[in-house]
Amino acid sequence: MVQQKEPNAQYDKQLVSLGRVLQTLREEENSDVLIDTVLNHLRAEFDYDLIWIGLYDRLEHRLYGKGGTTPSGEVGLLKQRFALNPGDILEQVVIQQRPLAVPDLREEIRAGEWRRVAQSYNIQGTVVFPIRYKDRCYGVTLLGTPHWGVAPKTDEKARLSMVLGGLGTALYQIEVEWQRQQTKRPDQPLLALLTKLRSLPGLGARLEAIVEETHQFIHPHRTSVYWFERERRYFWRRVGNRQKATGFSEANQPASGITVQEVSGFYQALLSDQIVSIGEAHSSLKADTTSRLMQQIRARSLLAAPILFQNELLGFLAVEGTEPRIWEDEEKNYVRGAAQIVALIAPLDEMEQSIDQIRMDQALTAEIAHSIYSDDDWKATLKMSADQLCKRLRAERFLVLVYDRDQARFEICYQSQPSNRRHLSTPLDALNETDYNLLEKSLEPVGLENLDGDLRLLAWRDRLLELGVRAMLLCHTSIGQPLEGIVVICHETPRTWSRNERDLVRVVSQQIGLILHQWQLQKQNEHQQKIMQTIQWGLTMLQQTPQLEVLERSALQQISQVLQVPLIALITWLPGQETAYIRNAVITNDRFGINLDQEIPIHTDVLVRWTLKSDGLLSLPIEDIPFDTRQWLSGLGIGQVLTLTLRTAPEHEPTGIVVVADVADRHWSERYLSAFGTLVSQLAWSRRYLNLTLTFSTQREELEQLNWYKHRRLEELYRALTTSLQRLNQLGNPKDPLFSTRQQQALKQLTESIGTLPQLIQEELWHTRISTQTISLITLLKRALERVDTLIKQRQLWSQVHNETNLTIQGDVVKMELVIYELLLIACERSQSGSRIDIWCRQIDNRWLEISITDNGNVDPQLFQELESGRMMDVLAPSLLDYPPGLHLLICQTLMKQIGGEFNLYKLEDNRILSRLVLPLAGTNRSGTTKPQ
């Protein structure tokens, strides 16, 4: 290296040069001058052919050259940038911050680009010194010689250490000063901004000033103030910086609005007074929310601070960039401070409007209060309150709900909605414990901004969503007391509720609470009256309902309405039967079901047996009911069952039970149980009365029919016997050769006349029996006409049979003959002397024959109506069917139905009376066929 010449003088010279360099390093503030000074010192004081200084770029992890010396004088290479690769000697020095000696740089594989330089300039012995201060490396110095393995001596190392250490210290001071100068101080511009805002009129000008100052302080690509629209729940860009941001084209301009539904996480963060920071490889939001938000604002970096006033979100202040960016704490503090300034000045602009609104709200509450104390019509008061509140809050629905503790559900006391909206038709189900406590214990209204995404009030969500409700404001009508009622304000789009709106609803709700007390008292009174009316209805039904099925159905509906239960069923049987059937059921809830087709064994079904053994009402939880019974009592919502026996008197057999089902937590008050017992008892007596009436009426009709039938048969027997006896008396002399023949004929006629009597006596003692025979039409008509021949002659009537054919009729021939005879007899009796009776025969088809009897007699018009509709409902009322000829015509009509035919009585347009019979023809199968009209 350097030669030894006059050591003392040389040493002094080195010290002087070192002192000047160190002084320059202490005083100079320009990094380029410092590096040039060090390079000049290294060239003058050290004998190295290759000298290079490179500064370290921490962000890029590379060295960029600041100059030096090469053997050829070429310095372009020394200005290049060198990337640091793992394992390189330069990276080792930077990381370890210790000098490194290389014997031959030409052969050093880890030298990277410097190996090629060493080969070009024949550089061998090389040493690399770090330029460092404390634990931070600012660069390296590379010194190389053409000699192998040459390393600095001790004094050289010392001087190099002092020079390079001084350079590192100087670079550190420069960096600290630069950082100090670059550090943004938000307090000064914010103070200046406050001074500026005092002289600006209106909120718009002030927002523009805040945006411009924020833009100048942070230098983003775009600065904006977004305002929050509560009713429609979206942010809209109210103010932006005036100059068009560089890097933003028309395609990536921000959207006009940002909906809360799309960026709910961003909205919740603002609502929680959190500053949202999205930059390079960092976001304070979830990835999906970040992606949607950045697509909306069309930016790649964002810093947003909420504008909150009294916990109410007004909007947010946003600085946006088209490139990823790391946001500094000073920038975040400034944006938060600027947003808080906006929050302070915004209410000033709206103060006058708020004062007017407060006056209107006070007038509204005063008007409602006056109406409550002065108007007897509480529904009109609620209507006025609903109209005023919905108009003030721009809401569509107003509900007043009353909590029914007996049934654990919310009754609809009052509701108001536009005429083109569906109303809430049934009560709302019970809430879970969490939601119930929320409404009962909250000291202020509970607001739901978006029903779709809110986990509260799950029991009501589906029904309210079906009605189009998306946002709600609910308030307990007696805050601080047990829950009695709720006032509900509904909006059809997601929205937030301001403090003034909440306060207004709270005041009105407490006033409406006074009305609810009156309404509940009135409801209890009406309920008691309803029970009394229902009991009176049971007595009335005895007089007005002759049909058992109608009675049972009406009774179950009345009991269901009084008890307000989702399921009630009637299970009945007749005394002596072993199987019961579900006759009727009233179900008002899909979760309460019963198998109507199930047959129930009376003696083995546990629920039926327990009910019959019980002296009164039987109440059971569904868990205590056996599996067999739950096969027909199968509703999933059934929690408990209430049963009662249909019993009229101790000596009477029970004929059924009534089963009532409800939810498990249903509470039965005494008035409900008393009403239930009274109504079921009344139903039992009514059913017994109707069953007895039906039994007696059926027996009466059967005995009337049997009496007529036997009477006509006796008449025929009397006629036949009389004729035979007359012939016996007219036989003459026994010695006459024809005497024996005539006697045999008379005896044969007597035998034939009484031949059918055994069947009549043995098989038709108390009921008529339908048999089947065949007879020709000619014979049937001939026998019927023979019976009335005497009467026709007596009344000088003219009769004729038209279109008579030799068809064969099949059925109970005796009864058909008697019916035709009865119709001819009645026709003769009502016809005037000298008139005519016609019998018309017509084959309808291959199955039916029509016989029509026409006459010119007179018939009471009421008889036609009664024959068509049957006996009067009131069996005690006078009727033409209670005595002949109406009674006989009714019997003929009934018999024809039993035989399989048909009989009807009509009055023709020419005033003739038509008796129409439809008879079955022989040789056809008539099952499943319909008689022609």
Side-chain angles (χ1 to χ4, degrees):
M1 296 183 64
V2 296
Q3 297 179 358
Q4 298 291 334
K5 298 188 292 182
E6 299 181 2
N8 293 334
Q10 182 69 18
Y11 182 72
D12 293 340
K13 182 180 178 182
Q14 291 174 351
L15 289 178
V16 172
S17 177
L18 178 61
R20 286 197 298 267
V21 171
L22 293 177
Q23 182 178 3
T24 302
L25 293 177
R26 287 193 302 269
E27 297 176 355
E28 184 58 50
E29 296 180 354
N30 190 306
S31 60
D32 291 335
V33 174
L34 293 174
I35 292 174
D36 289 340
T37 301
V38 172
L39 286 174
N40 292 332
H41 178 72
L42 294 177
R43 293 191 195 101
E45 298 298 327
F46 298 91
D47 187 12
Y48 289 100
D49 294 78
L50 178 62
I51 301 174
W52 178 72
I53 292 180
L55 296 184
Y56 177 53
D57 184 351
R58 285 188 296 274
L59 295 177
E60 300 292 337
H61 193 53
R62 62 185 177 182
L63 296 170
Y64 59 93
K66 299 299 291 183
T69 302
T70 61
S72 65
E74 173 63 35
V75 296
L77 173 68
L78 305 180
K79 297 288 187 178
Q80 294 182 6
R81 299 183 179 184
F82 297 89
L84 299 179
N85 299 316
D88 288 355
I89 58 174
L90 294 179
E91 187 192 50
Q92 181 179 345
V93 173
V94 169
I95 294 176
Q96 297 180 356
Q97 298 186 24
R98 289 184 297 181
L100 176 65
V102 179
D104 189 349
L105 189 59
R106 297 174 305 174
E107 303 298 331
E108 180 59 53
I109 299 176
R110 298 183 301 152
E113 185 68 19
W114 287 102
R115 181 184 180 190
R116 185 186 61 78
V117 174
Q119 291 174 352
S120 299
Y121 294 120
N122 193 30
I123 300 299
Q124 297 187 42
T126 305
V127 62
V128 183
F129 283 89
I131 303 173
R132 57 182 293 273
Y133 177 79
K134 294 184 178 179
D135 59 348
R136 178 171 294 185
C137 181
Y138 289 94
V140 299
T141 299
L142 187 145
L143 304 175
T145 68
H147 306 290
W148 186 90
V150 175
K153 295 181 180 180
T154 303
D155 62 326
E156 291 179 346
K157 287 183 179 180
R159 285 185 287 127
L160 285 172
S161 178
M162 286 188 288
V163 172
L164 296 178
L167 177 59
T169 302
L171 292 176
Y172 168 75
Q173 296 295 336
I174 292 174
E175 183 182 40
V176 170
E177 180 61 24
W178 179 83
Q179 289 180 351
R180 188 189 65 80
Q181 294 177 358
Q182 293 298 316
T183 299
K184 298 178 179 179
R185 298 176 59 85
D187 52 345
Q188 295 179 357
L190 285 176
L191 290 173
L193 180 60
L194 288 173
T195 304
K196 183 177 181 180
L197 292 178
R198 291 185 302 180
S199 60
L200 294 176
L203 181 61
R206 294 170 180 170
L207 290 179
E208 290 180 358
I210 293 173
V211 167
E212 291 301 327
E213 290 295 332
T214 303
H215 194 78
Q216 292 179 11
F217 181 79
I218 300 180
H219 296 291
H221 291 87
R222 184 173 58 216
T223 304
S224 308
V225 169
Y226 288 86
W227 218 247
F228 183 48
E229 176 62 37
R230 285 188 294 272
E231 292 187 9
R232 287 177 286 180
R233 286 172 55 85
Y234 76 95
F235 297 98
W236 57 281
R237 191 167 181 258
R238 180 167 183 170
V239 178
N241 54 305
R242 294 179 180 177
Q243 56 187 13
K244 187 175 180 180
T246 59
F248 280 92
S249 62
E250 293 295 331
N252 59 16
Q253 289 299 310
S256 59
I258 304 173
T259 61
V260 170
Q261 184 176 3
E262 295 178 351
V263 290
S264 59
F266 174 66
Y267 169 73
Q268 293 297 333
L270 296 177
L271 203 60
S272 302
D273 197 18
Q274 299 177 13
I275 190 167
V276 176
S277 174
I278 301 175
E280 185 176 18
H282 169 77
S283 174
S284 57
L285 302 176
K286 293 182 179 180
D288 56 343
T289 302
T290 299
S291 176
R292 291 194 297 268
L293 176 61
M294 301 311 281
Q295 289 177 2
Q296 288 283 330
I297 66 173
R298 297 184 176 96
R300 299 184 64 186
S301 58
L302 171 69
L303 189 61
I307 303 173
L308 281 168
F309 181 74
Q310 293 183 348
N311 295 325
E312 183 177 332
L313 184 63
L314 304 180
F316 65 92
L317 174 63
V319 290
E320 309 154 24
T322 56
E323 298 297 333
R325 176 169 173 174
I326 298 177
W327 302 103
E328 300 177 2
D329 292 341
E330 290 77 10
E331 295 171 336
K332 296 179 181 180
N333 293 335
Y334 181 88
V335 172
R336 177 178 287 278
Q340 291 175 353
I341 292 176
V342 176
L344 292 175
I345 65 174
L348 298 177
D349 186 69
E350 301 176 359
M351 183 176 297
E352 185 173 340
Q353 180 180 356
S354 299
I355 292 174
D356 293 339
Q357 188 62 63
I358 291 172
R359 290 174 179 170
M360 293 174 61
D361 291 347
Q362 290 177 344
L364 171 62
T365 56
E367 184 177 0
I368 294 175
H370 176 73
S371 177
I372 290 174
Y373 289 103
S374 62
D375 194 348
D376 294 334
D377 187 357
W378 59 270
K379 288 188 177 181
T381 302
L382 290 179
K383 182 180 186 305
M384 186 273 293
S385 303
D387 295 342
Q388 295 290 342
L389 269 182
C390 290
K391 180 179 179 181
R392 163 68 176 88
L393 303 178
R394 294 182 292 277
E396 290 80 16
R397 290 182 182 271
F398 174 88
L399 297 172
V400 178
L401 306 177
V402 176
Y403 184 59
D404 186 344
R405 298 187 181 277
D406 290 339
Q407 302 191 50
R409 66 183 186 183
F410 288 86
E411 298 282 350
I412 303 170
C413 172
Y414 182 83
Q415 60 177 318
S416 173
Q417 62 278 326
S419 58
N420 60 348
R421 303 295 198 278
R422 288 187 301 160
H423 66 283
L424 201 59
S425 57
T426 57
L428 292 174
D429 295 335
L431 297 171
N432 59 45
E433 184 177 359
T434 302
D435 291 338
Y436 183 88
N437 291 335
L438 172 67
L439 294 178
E440 184 178 51
K441 297 180 180 179
S442 178
L443 299 179
E444 61 180 15
V446 177
L448 278 69
E449 298 181 0
N450 187 355
L451 201 59
D452 282 321
D454 205 309
L455 298 179
R456 294 173 292 178
L457 305 184
L458 288 177
W460 299 352
R461 176 190 290 178
D462 292 341
R463 292 192 60 190
L464 293 173
L465 289 177
E466 289 177 359
L467 296 176
V469 177
R470 291 299 180 273
M472 299 172 61
L473 191 61
L474 307 93
C475 187
H476 181 7
T477 56
S478 54
I479 292 178
Q481 303 295 326
L483 184 63
E484 295 181 355
I486 303 174
V487 172
V488 185
I489 307 297
C490 303
H491 203 276
E492 294 184 349
T493 58
R495 62 163 291 180
T496 57
W497 307 93
S498 67
R499 170 56 56 186
N500 290 337
E501 292 171 339
R502 291 171 182 264
D503 291 342
L504 175 62
V505 172
R506 180 177 56 82
V507 173
V508 173
S509 299
Q510 303 314 294
Q511 294 174 341
I512 291 177
L514 299 175
I515 297 178
L516 294 186
H517 285 292
Q518 302 174 4
W519 182 82
Q520 287 180 323
L521 292 174
Q522 181 178 347
K523 182 181 178 182
Q524 292 176 0
N525 184 38
E526 291 176 351
H527 188 75
Q528 293 294 339
Q529 292 180 357
K530 185 176 182 180
I531 293 177
M532 295 301 299
Q533 291 172 357
T534 306
I535 295 175
Q536 293 174 0
W537 162 88
L539 299 173
T540 305
M541 290 296 292
L542 290 174
Q543 305 171 3
Q544 298 181 351
T545 308
Q547 297 181 359
L548 184 61
E549 184 176 355
V550 175
L551 170 70
E552 293 171 346
R553 184 70 180 176
S554 300
L556 292 185
Q557 289 176 347
Q558 291 290 335
I559 297 174
S560 175
Q561 292 177 5
V562 171
L563 299 185
Q564 298 178 352
V565 291
L567 168 63
I568 180 171
L570 176 64
I571 302 171
T572 63
W573 59 86
L574 292 177
Q577 291 183 340
E578 296 183 355
T579 303
Y581 300 91
I582 304 173
R583 289 290 302 272
N584 264 303
V586 175
I587 303 173
T588 60
N589 190 315
D590 295 339
R591 300 186 71 250
F592 291 78
I594 191 169
N595 187 0
L596 298 176
D597 300 327
Q598 182 79 31
E599 295 183 358
I600 303 173
I602 300 174
H603 301 296
T604 59
D605 187 271
V606 176
L607 182 61
V608 175
R609 288 196 295 110
W610 287 351
T611 305
L612 293 178
K613 291 180 180 179
S614 177
D615 293 334
L617 291 169
L618 177 64
S619 178
L620 293 171
I622 192 65
E623 294 81 7
D624 293 349
I625 298 178
F627 177 78
D628 292 341
T629 300
R630 291 166 72 172
Q631 293 300 303
W632 55 269
L633 195 62
S634 56
L636 297 177
I638 298 176
Q640 62 171 310
V641 174
L642 194 66
T643 63
L644 188 59
T645 304
L646 290 177
R647 183 179 285 113
T648 50
E651 61 273 14
H652 295 163
E653 289 290 331
T655 58
I657 65 172
V658 176
V659 179
V660 172
D662 208 330
V663 294
D665 56 353
R666 169 66 188 271
H667 171 71
W668 302 97
S669 63
E670 187 60 33
R671 66 175 184 270
Y672 284 114
L673 299 179
S674 176
F676 180 49
T678 303
L679 293 174
V680 172
S681 176
Q682 187 64 61
L683 173 61
W685 279 105
S686 299
R687 291 187 74 255
R688 179 177 177 83
Y689 164 78
L690 288 181
N691 279 322
L692 289 174
T693 302
L694 179 62
T695 301
F696 294 152
S697 297
T698 303
Q699 291 177 352
R700 171 191 172 184
E701 292 177 357
E702 291 178 350
L703 292 176
E704 286 176 344
Q705 178 178 301
L706 182 63
N707 181 68
W708 172 84
Y709 169 62
K710 289 186 175 182
H711 182 75
R712 292 305 182 207
R713 291 291 301 273
L714 289 174
E715 283 182 345
E716 173 60 19
L717 179 61
Y718 173 76
R719 186 182 67 83
L721 291 176
T722 301
T723 302
S724 298
L725 289 174
Q726 289 176 353
R727 289 181 178 179
L728 286 174
N729 292 328
Q730 296 174 358
L731 289 178
N733 189 356
K735 296 181 179 181
D736 190 340
L738 297 177
F739 179 86
S740 178
T741 302
R742 293 171 180 169
Q743 184 182 33
Q744 293 296 326
Q745 290 178 347
L747 291 175
K748 182 179 179 181
Q749 289 179 352
L750 285 173
T751 303
E752 289 177 353
S753 299
I754 65 175
T756 58
L757 289 181
Q759 176 185 345
L760 177 66
I761 295 172
Q762 296 175 6
E763 298 181 8
E764 297 183 301
L765 179 63
W766 293 108
H767 301 279
T768 57
R769 187 179 69 87
I770 304 301
S771 60
T772 302
Q773 305 93 28
T774 59
I775 189 173
S776 66
L777 175 62
I778 295 175
T779 302
L780 180 64
L781 293 177
K782 180 180 178 182
R783 288 165 54 174
L785 287 171
E786 285 179 355
R787 294 190 177 197
V788 295
D789 182 63
T790 303
L791 184 60
I792 289 176
K793 293 177 179 179
Q794 290 177 355
R795 299 182 66 84
Q796 300 179 358
L797 301 175
W798 185 87
S799 64
Q800 183 178 0
V801 178
H802 304 273
N803 304 328
E804 185 177 18
T805 60
N806 195 23
L807 295 174
T808 301
I809 297 173
Q810 179 177 339
D812 195 322
V813 174
V814 175
K815 295 180 178 61
M816 290 182 185
E817 180 184 344
L818 291 178
V819 169
I820 296 175
Y821 163 65
E822 184 70 37
L823 297 180
L824 289 171
L825 178 62
I826 295 175
C828 292
E829 290 176 347
R830 67 177 171 238
S831 298
Q832 296 180 0
S833 178
S835 61
R836 61 182 294 162
I837 294 176
D838 293 294
I839 302 174
W840 306 84
C841 302
R842 181 175 70 90
Q843 183 177 356
I844 300 175
D845 52 28
N846 61 352
R847 293 172 296 177
W848 304 101
L849 171 71
E850 179 185 82
I851 299 177
S852 300
I853 302 171
T854 60
D855 63 86
N856 294 313
N858 295 319
V859 177
D860 191 331
Q862 185 178 351
L863 181 60
F864 295 106
Q865 181 178 356
E866 292 188 12
L867 272 177
E868 182 177 357
S869 59
R871 289 186 183 273
M872 300 293 289
M873 291 185 179
D874 186 358
V875 295
L876 299 180
S879 172
L880 295 177
L881 303 181
D882 291 337
Y883 50 86
L887 175 60
H888 293 173
L889 291 175
L890 177 62
I891 293 173
C892 291
Q893 190 177 58
T894 304
L895 263 178
M896 287 305 300
K897 290 181 181 179
Q898 295 175 358
I899 294 172
E902 182 179 311
F903 162 64
N904 291 291
L905 186 67
Y906 304 102
K907 186 172 185 178
L908 302 178
E909 294 180 356
D910 58 0
N911 293 324
R912 286 186 299 163
I913 305 302
L914 170 64
S915 301
R916 179 177 180 267
L917 286 172
V918 177
L919 302 177
L921 293 173
T924 60
N925 183 9
R926 290 174 300 279
S927 61
T929 62
T930 303
K931 293 185 287 296
Q933 298 297 320

